[in-house]
């Protein structure tokens, strides 16, 4: 099991105290979700996202197998962060191969590739690392891999900031049009916890808040793992951005009553024709938005575009996760002062748990990329990425 570097009970510490502790011991954790240990470059440190918002735990990843487990078990999640974690997993595999001539390097890479199926960034990052390391002598691979993984991480920061700047224009426009607080609905978590910094869907929100534009975010709880209620709400609270958690089924009601100006969600894979795979429930939000005339935007870094796929419904593999995530729920028990998991359903009840759904391009108002906002179509995407023709 990975070593724990820090564990804080967030129900006992005020946010200012948490920030002070992190500033003193792990300053990178204030803005990054993954970083190289400052005193041990052969160790990667991550936030264990399964435990937020009740416990803040920083764990150390020292092997490719641990990196694969972190992806598979969702210690880290979000398409961009999954890819970056895999890249650092390759670095750790290179270290292991240098230590032991018998280390199954190719097996480690296959385990990383198979950790989760839907997010295209995983395969993209591993292909990039393989290309970078092609022909490099084994003894030189760790240094080259560390450099390449670090470059991917920094590129993600720049991409997400650029997405934020393009999305900021939409929020400025909405504020200028209404003259009141801009009401944004988002689904799941596409914030900094899903990336290195900024996030995708939240990047325009962070930048609008910094620019003094009043915003309020309707945060879908996003069953069954509740990554909106736990992760997005925690992020926005840390940033001081007004937000309200809602049941997943409340979004359409709010749109019908004019309480949503626009929706912004993320994506784990987008086809070259603009179909969008995102956390389960996104399709229903897009349907409600179309019926109510609410703009529905998807924020995506270009590595999330799968240029080999045209038909999202037919070609994107949908991960089916454990039924326990549907049948059970976890939360903080104030009486016992601990996180507990409880069953929601009668004993013997079966559960079905597709982790993603596909929103057809026709329901998407626009795709917010690092190069600008495109129509959700092949022509729209190629107008921004002509090299993909």
């Amino acid at each position: 099991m990975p070593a724990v570097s820090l564990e804080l009970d967030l129900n006992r510490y005020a946010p200012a105290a948490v920030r002070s502790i992190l500033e003193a011991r792990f300053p990178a954790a204030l803005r990054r979700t993954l970083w190289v240990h400052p005193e041990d470059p052969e160790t990667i440190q991550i936030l264990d996202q399964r435990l937020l918002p009740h416990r803040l735990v920083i764990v150390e990843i020292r092997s490719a197998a641990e990196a694969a487990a972190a992806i598979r078990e969702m210690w880290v999640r979000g398409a961009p962060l999954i890819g970056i974690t895999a890249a650092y997993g390759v670095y750790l595999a290179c270290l292991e191969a240098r230590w032991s001539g018998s280390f199954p390097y190719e097996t480690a890479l296959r385990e990383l590739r198979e950790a989760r199926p839907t997010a295209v960034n995983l395969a993209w990052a591993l292909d990039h690392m393989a290309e970078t390391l092609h022909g490099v002598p084994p003894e030189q691979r760790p240094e080259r891999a560390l450099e390449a993984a670090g470059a991917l991480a920094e590129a993600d920061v720049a991409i997400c900031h650029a997405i934020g700047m393009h999305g900021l224009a939409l929020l400025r426009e909405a504020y200028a049009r209404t003259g009141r607080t801009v009401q944004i609905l988002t689904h799941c978590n596409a914030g900094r916890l899903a990336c290195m910094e900024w996030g995708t869907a939240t990047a325009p929100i962070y930048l609008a808040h910094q620019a003094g534009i009043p915003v309020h975010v309707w945060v879908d709880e996003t069953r069954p793992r509740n990554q909106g209620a736990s992760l997005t709400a925690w992020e926005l609270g840390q940033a001081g951005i007004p937000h309200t958690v809602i049941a997943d089924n409340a979004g359409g009601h709010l749109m019908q009553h004019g309480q949503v100006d626009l929706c912004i969600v993320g994506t784990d894979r987008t086809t070259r024709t603009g179909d969008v795979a995102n956390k389960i429930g996104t399709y229903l939000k897009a349907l409600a938005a179309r019926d109510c005339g609410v703009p529905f935007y998807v924020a995506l870094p270009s590595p999330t575009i799968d240029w080999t796929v045209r038909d999202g419904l037919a070609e994107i593999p949908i991960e089916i996760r454990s039924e326990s995530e549907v049948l059970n729920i976890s939360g903080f028990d104030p009486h016992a002062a601990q996180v507990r998991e409880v069953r929601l359903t009668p004993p013997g009840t079966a559960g079905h748990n597709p982790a993603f759904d596909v929103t057809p391009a026709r329901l998407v108002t626009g795709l917010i990329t690092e190069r600008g906002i495109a129509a959700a179509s092949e022509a729209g995407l190629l107008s921004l990425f002509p090299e993909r023709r």
Side-chain angles (χ1 to χ4, degrees):
M1 289 293 293
V4 174
S5 298
L6 175 72
E7 181 167 353
L8 295 176
D9 182 346
L10 296 177
N11 293 287
R12 298 179 59 186
Y13 286 90
V18 173
R19 186 173 186 87
S20 177
I21 292 169
L22 291 177
E23 211 156 35
R25 293 185 57 189
F26 301 97
L30 291 171
R31 59 190 182 90
R32 294 278 171 110
T33 47
L34 175 153
W35 60 95
V36 179
H37 194 301
E39 298 173 1
D40 179 8
E42 297 186 357
T43 298
I44 306 303
Q45 294 180 308
I46 63 169
L47 292 174
D48 186 342
Q49 297 186 35
R50 300 170 302 170
L51 306 175
L52 288 171
H54 306 295
R55 287 157 58 199
L56 189 150
V57 176
I58 295 173
V59 297
E60 297 181 352
I61 303 296
R62 295 195 177 96
S63 69
E66 289 180 350
I71 295 169
R72 185 172 54 252
E73 303 302 325
M74 297 181 72
W75 306 352
V76 297
R77 21 70 51 210
L81 184 59
I82 286 172
I84 293 164
T85 303
Y88 278 105
V90 174
Y91 160 61
L92 295 173
C94 291
L95 285 174
E96 293 174 273
R98 186 166 69 181
W99 297 330
S100 170
S102 62
F103 177 76
Y105 175 77
E106 296 298 333
T107 301
L109 266 60
R110 185 167 61 252
E111 185 179 2
L112 284 165
R113 189 177 294 272
E114 294 172 353
R116 291 194 71 191
T118 301
V120 72
N121 299 60
L122 176 60
W124 171 83
L126 290 172
D127 289 343
H128 175 81
M129 295 297 289
E131 183 179 342
T132 300
L133 297 174
H134 180 71
V136 177
E139 65 274 10
Q140 297 177 19
R141 284 182 176 178
E143 290 75 16
R144 188 70 63 86
L146 179 60
E147 179 183 333
L152 287 181
E154 294 307 318
D156 179 70
V157 175
I159 285 172
C160 288
H161 186 267
I163 288 171
M165 292 302 294
H166 292 299
L168 174 60
L170 298 173
L171 302 188
R172 286 190 189 278
E173 178 186 331
Y175 181 51
R177 184 176 66 253
T178 65
R180 55 164 173 76
T181 298
V182 181
Q183 302 286 341
I184 307 150
L185 185 142
T186 191
H187 188 69
C188 195
N189 173 258
R192 80 171 183 92
L193 290 171
C195 306
M196 288 295 289
E197 286 186 33
W198 297 107
T200 56
T202 59
I205 298 168
Y206 285 130
L207 290 171
H209 180 68
Q210 291 179 8
I213 298 171
V215 295
H216 171 266
V217 185
W218 296 108
V219 180
D220 278 357
E221 60 186 350
T222 321
R223 282 279 293 150
R225 290 188 64 91
N226 295 305
Q227 291 166 339
S230 58
L231 302 181
T232 302
W234 184 76
E235 269 193 48
L236 295 174
Q238 293 289 305
I241 296 174
H243 62 282
T244 303
V245 173
I246 58 172
D248 285 354
N249 291 333
H253 169 78
L254 295 173
M255 293 183 213
Q256 286 178 322
H257 290 269
Q259 294 179 268
V260 179
D261 293 311
L262 71 164
C263 303
I264 309 179
V265 302
T267 174
D268 287 76
R269 185 184 301 212
T270 296
T271 69
R272 70 181 292 129
T273 57
D275 295 338
V276 173
N278 193 48
K279 188 59 63 183
I280 194 76
T282 302
Y283 172 53
L284 294 178
K285 290 298 180 300
L287 285 171
R290 171 57 60 91
D291 186 58
C292 296
V294 174
F296 188 90
Y297 290 95
V298 178
L300 68 151
S302 57
T304 310
I305 305 170
D306 189 340
W307 296 97
T308 69
V309 171
R310 290 183 171 276
D311 186 340
L313 283 172
E315 299 178 70
I316 295 178
I318 299 298
E319 177 182 9
I320 305 297
R321 295 186 59 81
S322 168
E323 67 174 9
S324 66
E325 295 178 353
V326 175
L327 305 180
N328 303 336
I329 195 168
S330 64
F332 182 74
D333 180 350
H335 301 293
Q338 61 181 317
V339 176
R340 291 184 181 273
E341 182 173 292
V342 297
R343 190 173 63 213
L344 293 170
T345 57
T349 300
H352 180 53
N353 187 15
F356 303 91
D357 59 25
V358 174
T359 299
R362 60 185 169 78
L363 298 177
V364 178
T365 306
L367 303 171
I368 310 172
T369 79
E370 69 268 26
R371 295 189 185 179
I373 302 175
S377 65
E378 183 171 14
L381 283 170
L382 289 176
S383 71
L384 296 181
F385 300 93
E387 70 275 17
R388 294 291 184 170
R389 291 185 183 278

